[in-house]
Amino acid sequence: MHVGRRRALALFLILIFAAVGRVQDARADAFTDALAGFAKDSYSDTIAAVEKVSATGDPRAAAVLRALAEGNLQVRKSDQAIVYTREEGGKTLGTEAASGKELGEIKTDDYDQVRVNNRVRSAVQAALGTFNLVHPDTRQRIDAARALFKNPNAANIPLLLKSLEKETDPAAKAAKELALAASRLMSDKQEERLAGIAHLKTAGDSEVRDLLLRVAGQAEKGSPIHTAATEAVASMDAQLRLARNAEIFFQGLSLGSVLLLAAIGLAITFGVMGVINMAHGEMVMLGAYTTFVVQQIIRTWSPELMEVSVLIAVPLAFLVSGAVGVGLERGVIRHLYGRPIETLLMTWGVSMILQQAVRTAFGPTNREVVSPSWMSGTMEIASGIALTQNRVVIILFGLLVFAIVIFITQKTWFGLQMRAVTQNRAMAASMGIRTGRVDAMTFGLGSGIAGMAGVALAQIDNVSPNLGQGYIVDSFMVVVFGGVGNLLGLLLGSSILGVINKFLEPFAGAVLGKIFVLVAIIVFIQFRPRGLFALKGRAAEA
Amino acid sequence: MLQLTRRAALAGLLAGTVLAGSPAWAQDTIKVGVLHSLSGTMAISETTLKDTVLMLVDEQNKKGGLLGKKLEAVVVDPASNWPLFAEKARELIQVHKVAVVFGCWTSVSRKSVLPVFEELNGLLFYPVQYEGEESSRNVFYTGAAPNQQAIPAVEYLMSKDGGEAKRWVLLGTDYVYPRTTNKILRAFLKSKGVADADIMEEYTPFGHSDWQTIVRRVKQFASQGKKTAVVSTINGDANVPFYKELGNQGIKATDIPVVAFSVGEEELAGIDTKPLLGHLAAWNYFQSVKNPTNAAFVSKWKGFIKNPKRVTNDPMEAHVIGFQMWVQAVQQAGSTNVDAVRQAMYGQKVKSPSGYDIVMHPNHHLSKPVMIGEIKADGQFEIVWQTKGPIVAEAWSPHIAENKGKVANWQYPWVCGNCTSPKFK
């Protein structure tokens, strides 16, 4: 009885598989044949197989191609069958490509991975593009159109035209039109090609320019295609130049914002209080390490907060660096007011102690700080002008910190006391202000802001014990250039230095460009020793 | 008087310690110097090499040491500070009296210690790929020369599988290795018919972090209607922000492939490699090489460092080869005397984790296989191309005109590292 039931079940299963198999055999022999190419272990055969598989138009092809792109396509060693895998709960689950049969958990040792290189990868992207053009997700549709643009093929024209009819999203529509124009460029009909060029001309993109130049290079000189493509490139160049300058300007502002962030704390400790604080860079470094520690804690306790870890780190970095700053002021600097050389030497020593302390605690190698997804990638603000998101966030953050500092110094009671003490200590003291406390708080504020800067700089620089050293010279440079004690000068000074540096870089290179800027500042200081915006009146003499 | 007695007492105490300590030490151990930066911009790459030497010393001691003595590693930290390398090298040889030194990464550090080793007749094993154009009597170069790394990598990118690149960006850190390598590459590219206008050369300082402009310019340079590839000789931690910027600006390997000569598994351990999928590196060894020697090496390393996530890389493998060769040469010579060991080095053969028998040649360089790998999502490399077998290193590149006729051969009758006729006729 028992045996009989099992036999019946087996028979039933065999019948089902046979039925399914027959249907598929009839429908897509070509698909199964094409799969065999993946087992040959050569890139050229793999590419040929990719093209054959996608040409069948079989619905199973997309899954195979996706698996190949992700490196999850395997060849079973025993019978050369193609299997694609996925990871689930630490297990590798397999599916037979030809039959669609679920294999359950598989042993990876029994399989060879289909090897992928860049050539295979771009062929897969192009092939996948034809499948994903009608994907429900907009992002996928745009990626598909981009892939077809990068691998233009006249065969895709009808496909693109058909999917364009139903396209509603403007960004996806634009991407598909671009892909269509590029595909038309590859047609044998001259009018199609000219129509393609006419559309491409309107897009001011460096990749489009590249494509047009390729076409011009292949066409005969003097032929209508060559003339049209060359003219299109020439008409794009003016726009591209504008876009390039806009991007360099943005990069200059971005460098300026980094300088601003690095220097803004120093503008308080050095600019307002007059303390030459060589340990300023280490306050920045402590802020960066705070970010690292915060991310470590979040990773172990609540990984879902990772996206906002940077925001959590900002106030904590302020507190950590601020506390160290207050300790430094109370412990060392207050005994040395009015003795700049001794202050310089002592804070230099403190900076080394802090560096070594961090090196001992965290090790000499760099620590990785994770960028949240909203700080990765680019955003296109206009055709051809793409800005990297981390830089945009840092510019905004720099401006925000600047606004906060202005608010504190100009609009709060503490700011008033701070200004009073720096302008006339004796008078302020006799009016009942506890000058010692104000000094400590001011120094703490400057250090804390340096710590906040560290959180931002950790996103674009390496978090190492030496992080601060790279910024200390730049910080002093900006403060002196902008005018000691003048916050508005700091904002303008850092932006000017950043933009000049970035416009010089393409001509002079990164190394020489920086030297030019330093020389220019030395010359500038000769003529305006008090910086861009010199304080006037009695405050200047204090 | 008081001071004098105190000083005398101190001296006596010191002498006592030295006397008590020295017989047990000086006679029973052979000292092995380790000269790698454990801090500063190069620590990202060099710290692992220090641990590798410690592992090899430890392993040799477990096998019973060398010539009946225990090996003892002496570790110093030159802190990515080039002049400090020379001071520390002198300290190792003169104060610690080491028999051999394993050390240096950047060529500028090697150039800094070179006069010290030549003056004091020391012995240095240098484990990193470099620009060639050197063959010192006191240095054994266990990394790749340009013909074992840079040239094959460029040839690969020119091939069909590599994408048939026609325009080239040579990016490097501003010091001797990238500049010399790029000089050789430029000459090589020209010999292959690449015009000067199709080559862009750019240098940045050590630890450079603001890559926006340069990556932007690479994009622009690539939009001239020809397939463009980037050859990167960027060293140290500047690579991390560079690759981050590439990812942020959306440069995919299928558009503009970047082949790096100083980025391996260890450097990638600190970054999210998903946006870097398909970018390349050229080395003589990758952790993903499949053979029993490598499997043993990888598991030994993970066990020694007590962390299953740590990776192995090419310069580590070079130290493994160099150390084993030194051990064999010392055994053959029956002494750690530098001159005797040097003579015994020529022709030493070692089965290396790369899967080949590696041989030391009289030009103080090795024959090694060349491998090109593409970065995978897990930070390892997929080997997409490799030479059929080991290639003999050329100390003097034939692509530089001034090198014509130059020979490096430390055996009779040549006995020189840079000459055009033999020393003995």
Side-chain angles (χ1 to χ4, degrees):
Chain A
M1 179 63 200
H2 187 71
V3 176
R5 194 194 287 165
R6 192 183 283 175
R7 196 174 291 159
L9 190 70
L11 194 70
F12 176 67
L13 280 178
I14 288 169
L15 278 175
I16 286 191
F17 280 123
V20 170
R22 200 173 306 138
V23 170
Q24 284 181 348
D25 279 351
R27 201 170 38 158
D29 256 332
F31 177 73
T32 321
D33 286 348
L35 281 181
F38 290 120
K40 287 187 184 150
D41 195 30
S42 110
Y43 295 126
S44 297
D45 286 327
T46 307
I47 290 170
V50 167
E51 279 156 8
K52 271 194 222 157
V53 163
S54 72
T56 60
D58 194 283
R60 288 166 294 171
V64 171
L65 294 176
R66 236 166 255 143
L68 181 60
E70 283 155 17
N72 289 335
L73 200 64
Q74 316 266 353
V75 181
R76 189 156 56 211
K77 284 178 187 167
S78 56
D79 61 353
Q80 306 284 301
I82 306 297
V83 171
Y84 53 88
T85 59
R86 61 181 192 279
E87 301 287 327
E88 237 175 65
K91 290 180 186 164
T92 310
L93 304 178
T95 313
E96 256 183 26
S99 64
K101 190 168 84 179
E102 291 284 345
L103 299 172
E105 194 180 355
I106 60 161
K107 266 195 270 164
T108 43
D109 288 349
D110 299 339
Y111 294 84
D112 282 322
Q113 197 192 332
V114 178
R115 301 195 309 144
V116 176
N117 71 355
N118 285 328
R119 240 178 98 211
V120 175
R121 214 170 277 126
S122 61
V124 174
Q125 276 161 12
L128 264 181
T130 59
F131 286 97
N132 285 353
L133 270 183
V134 288
H135 201 280
D137 181 19
T138 316
R139 189 71 243 163
Q140 291 280 346
R141 288 206 303 278
I142 295 177
D143 283 349
R146 301 252 337 126
L148 289 185
F149 167 75
K150 283 188 181 162
N151 304 277
N153 189 338
N156 295 331
I157 297 175
L159 208 65
L160 280 161
L161 279 173
K162 208 172 133 205
S163 82
L164 261 172
E165 282 168 17
K166 291 183 201 130
E167 186 57 66
T168 48
D169 185 83
K173 195 168 180 199
K176 283 180 181 179
E177 277 170 350
L178 209 59
L180 177 66
S183 306
R184 279 190 165 150
L185 219 50
M186 300 299 139
S187 160
D188 342 315
K189 295 192 199 102
Q190 185 158 318
E191 59 271 31
E192 284 270 336
R193 302 183 75 182
L194 288 174
I197 293 174
H199 181 82
L200 288 175
K201 200 158 80 172
T202 57
D205 188 304
S206 62
E207 278 172 322
V208 173
R209 182 174 189 272
D210 184 36
L211 182 70
L212 285 172
L213 276 174
R214 262 171 223 235
V215 167
Q218 281 157 8
E220 233 176 279
K221 260 210 180 107
S223 67
I225 300 291
H226 185 270
T227 329
T230 330
E231 273 171 11
V233 169
S235 77
M236 281 168 71
D237 272 353
Q239 200 194 340
L240 275 174
R241 201 171 304 122
L242 198 70
R244 184 161 69 241
N245 284 334
E247 269 190 39
I248 295 180
F249 186 72
F250 165 77
Q251 287 165 357
L253 286 186
S254 155
L255 177 62
S257 74
V258 169
L259 291 174
L260 176 71
L261 273 170
I264 196 163
L266 194 74
I268 295 170
T269 53
F270 174 58
V272 177
M273 294 177 74
V275 175
I276 299 179
N277 179 16
M278 296 303 282
H280 173 74
E282 276 56 47
M283 303 297 163
V284 177
M285 184 259 293
L286 286 178
Y289 271 92
T290 309
T291 320
F292 168 71
V293 171
V294 166
Q295 290 195 342
Q296 286 296 311
I297 293 171
I298 285 180
R299 188 170 295 151
T300 25
W301 296 106
S302 56
E304 68 278 3
L305 284 179
M306 212 59 194
E307 280 289 287
V308 291
S309 59
V310 179
L311 299 181
I312 299 173
V314 169
L316 289 172
F318 180 84
L319 292 179
V320 170
S321 294
V324 174
V326 170
L328 177 62
E329 202 275 344
R330 288 288 89 181
V332 179
I333 294 171
R334 88 179 147 125
H335 305 294
L336 299 169
Y337 280 126
R339 291 154 69 185
I341 300 295
E342 282 91 335
T343 319
L344 190 152
L345 287 175
M346 284 299 272
T347 50
W348 177 253
V350 169
S351 85
M352 286 178 170
I353 293 172
L354 286 174
Q355 274 180 42
Q356 198 53 47
V358 168
R359 193 168 288 140
T360 314
F362 293 95
T365 47
N366 298 345
R367 293 288 149 181
E368 189 201 358
V369 168
V370 183
S371 302
S373 63
W374 47 273
M375 283 186 82
S376 331
T378 44
M379 48 193 269
E380 198 158 331
I381 54 163
S383 161
I385 308 180
L387 311 180
T388 41
Q389 282 170 18
N390 60 349
R391 299 282 176 174
V392 175
V393 172
I394 287 172
I395 290 180
L396 294 178
F397 181 68
L399 289 176
L400 179 73
V401 171
F402 184 76
I404 292 174
V405 170
I406 291 278
F407 178 77
I408 291 176
T409 52
Q410 305 297 326
K411 300 284 176 197
T412 63
W413 179 241
F414 167 64
L416 188 64
Q417 288 187 334
M418 195 174 98
R419 282 180 290 143
V421 170
T422 47
Q423 271 181 19
N424 193 329
R425 179 172 296 271
M427 183 68 86
S430 60
M431 299 297 276
I433 295 172
R434 289 166 65 187
T435 54
R437 202 166 142 238
V438 170
D439 283 337
M441 296 307 284
T442 312
F443 200 86
L445 174 72
S447 304
I449 283 171
M452 284 161 75
V455 179
L457 296 185
Q459 289 294 325
I460 50 170
D461 207 338
N462 287 305
V463 180
S464 76
N466 307 28
L467 172 76
Q469 286 184 319
Y471 290 100
I472 185 77
V473 174
D474 287 348
S475 303
F476 272 102
M477 184 178 86
V478 172
V479 173
V480 171
F481 178 69
V484 175
N486 189 314
L487 286 173
L488 205 66
L490 183 74
L491 178 68
L492 215 67
S494 57
S495 317
I496 291 175
L497 286 179
V499 172
I500 289 181
N501 205 332
K502 282 296 165 189
F503 272 98
L504 271 177
E505 217 184 279
F507 305 106
V511 184
L512 267 181
K514 187 134 201 203
I515 294 175
F516 280 146
V517 169
L518 283 173
V519 170
I521 286 184
I522 292 172
V523 174
F524 176 81
I525 294 295
Q526 301 300 316
F527 292 101
R528 285 188 77 103
R530 286 180 181 275
L532 270 183
F533 294 93
L535 288 183
K536 294 199 177 71
R538 227 179 291 171
E541 318 305 325
Chain B
M1 187 59 209
L2 182 79
Q3 216 169 20
L4 199 73
T5 19
R6 196 190 283 166
R7 196 177 288 169
L10 201 68
L13 201 70
L14 265 177
T17 342
V18 169
L19 279 178
S22 59
W25 274 32
Q27 286 172 11
D28 287 340
T29 67
I30 297 172
K31 287 189 181 178
V32 175
V34 185
L35 184 63
H36 283 301
S37 299
L38 309 179
S39 52
T41 183
M42 291 312 298
I44 180 178
S45 301
E46 289 192 70
T47 312
T48 326
L49 294 183
K50 178 230 15 169
D51 291 326
T52 310
V53 180
L54 294 185
M55 174 181 81
L56 294 167
V57 165
D58 186 53
E59 189 191 21
Q60 191 63 32
N61 282 338
K62 280 187 189 143
K63 285 188 207 159
L66 193 55
L67 304 180
K69 297 177 187 174
K70 288 264 172 218
L71 294 181
E72 181 198 345
V74 183
V75 179
V76 290
D77 176 16
S80 309
N81 176 344
W82 322 133
L84 194 59
F85 266 90
E87 282 174 40
K88 291 288 177 187
R90 192 171 285 278
E91 180 189 322
L92 281 175
I93 300 172
Q94 285 189 322
V95 180
H96 297 292
K97 310 239 179 280
V98 296
V100 61
V101 175
F102 291 87
C104 298
W105 179 292
T106 60
S107 288
V108 51
S109 66
R110 190 191 67 255
K111 295 271 185 207
S112 155
V113 300
L114 200 59
V116 178
F117 277 92
E118 288 182 344
E119 176 199 331
L120 305 174
N121 195 23
L123 188 59
L124 172 70
F125 279 80
Y126 175 68
V128 185
Q129 40 72 30
Y130 82 120
E131 70 280 7
E133 309 299 295
E134 191 180 299
S135 175
S136 164
R137 180 168 179 267
N138 299 86
V139 182
F140 284 99
Y141 307 82
T142 54
N147 73 313
Q148 292 172 314
Q149 187 192 32
I151 303 267
V154 168
E155 277 176 324
Y156 172 75
L157 289 174
M158 284 177 164
S159 76
K160 194 163 182 225
D161 267 335
E164 296 172 283
K166 300 276 189 294
R167 265 167 94 78
W168 300 87
V169 181
L170 310 178
L171 280 187
T173 303
D174 199 1
Y175 74 107
V176 54
Y177 161 66
R179 283 199 181 261
T180 316
T181 304
N182 288 342
K183 188 173 155 196
I184 294 171
L185 283 182
R186 189 179 272 273
F188 174 74
L189 288 172
K190 272 191 186 167
S191 77
K192 293 276 172 188
V194 177
D196 265 331
D198 284 336
I199 303 175
M200 163 180 159
E201 211 172 322
E202 188 77 41
Y203 296 95
T204 49
F206 272 101
H208 190 68
S209 66
D210 190 349
W211 289 95
Q212 325 176 59
T213 325
I214 289 176
V215 171
R216 174 76 178 74
R217 285 183 58 212
V218 168
K219 250 175 147 173
Q220 188 195 330
F221 185 79
S223 70
Q224 306 295 328
K226 289 177 185 169
K227 175 80 179 180
T228 306
V230 178
V231 177
S232 154
T233 39
I234 300 164
N235 263 256
D237 56 8
N239 274 303
V240 179
F242 171 62
Y243 280 111
K244 267 194 191 170
E245 189 70 34
L246 279 183
N248 279 341
Q249 294 206 18
I251 294 192
K252 295 214 175 70
T254 42
D255 309 329
I256 309 173
V258 177
V259 60
F261 297 156
S262 292
V263 176
E265 291 85 344
E266 183 70 20
E267 286 76 15
L268 291 180
I271 26 182
D272 175 20
T273 48
K274 277 181 209 81
L276 306 181
L277 197 72
H279 285 304
L280 306 111
W283 290 103
N284 308 114
Y285 164 86
F286 285 109
Q287 186 183 330
S288 55
V289 172
K290 285 195 178 71
N291 67 60
T293 321
N294 186 38
F297 169 51
V298 172
S299 76
K300 190 167 71 191
W301 166 248
K302 289 184 174 177
F304 176 81
I305 208 80
K306 295 188 184 67
N307 182 351
K309 281 187 186 156
R310 287 295 293 271
V311 292
T312 60
N313 65 14
D314 176 279
M316 286 170 71
E317 192 237 6
H319 260 343
V320 171
I321 297 170
F323 189 86
Q324 186 56 37
M325 280 187 175
W326 175 74
V327 167
Q328 290 176 7
V330 168
Q331 284 170 334
Q332 182 181 326
S335 141
T336 57
N337 176 286
V338 170
D339 292 307
V341 171
R342 183 173 52 239
Q343 292 302 328
M345 277 298 290
Y346 308 127
Q348 287 298 347
K349 197 193 272 183
V350 166
K351 178 106 194 144
S352 87
S354 68
Y356 293 90
D357 283 330
I358 304 294
V359 181
M360 178 57 77
H361 296 281
N363 64 359
H364 283 211
H365 290 69
L366 297 171
S367 46
K368 298 182 110 182
V370 186
M371 303 175 185
I372 313 267
E374 282 184 7
I375 298 173
K376 293 198 291 186
D378 61 357
Q380 287 289 323
F381 288 87
E382 168 90 43
I383 299 166
V384 292
W385 181 87
Q386 65 175 2
T387 49
K388 296 232 157 45
I391 290 181
V392 182
E394 288 163 351
W396 299 96
S397 173
H399 296 287
I400 292 184
E402 303 95 80
N403 286 350
K404 203 162 181 252
K406 272 191 193 171
V407 169
N409 186 337
W410 288 97
Q411 276 185 324
Y412 189 84
W414 287 86
V415 200
C416 64
N418 173 14
C419 56
T420 45
S421 63
K423 191 173 173 188
F424 305 98
K425 298 254 158 75

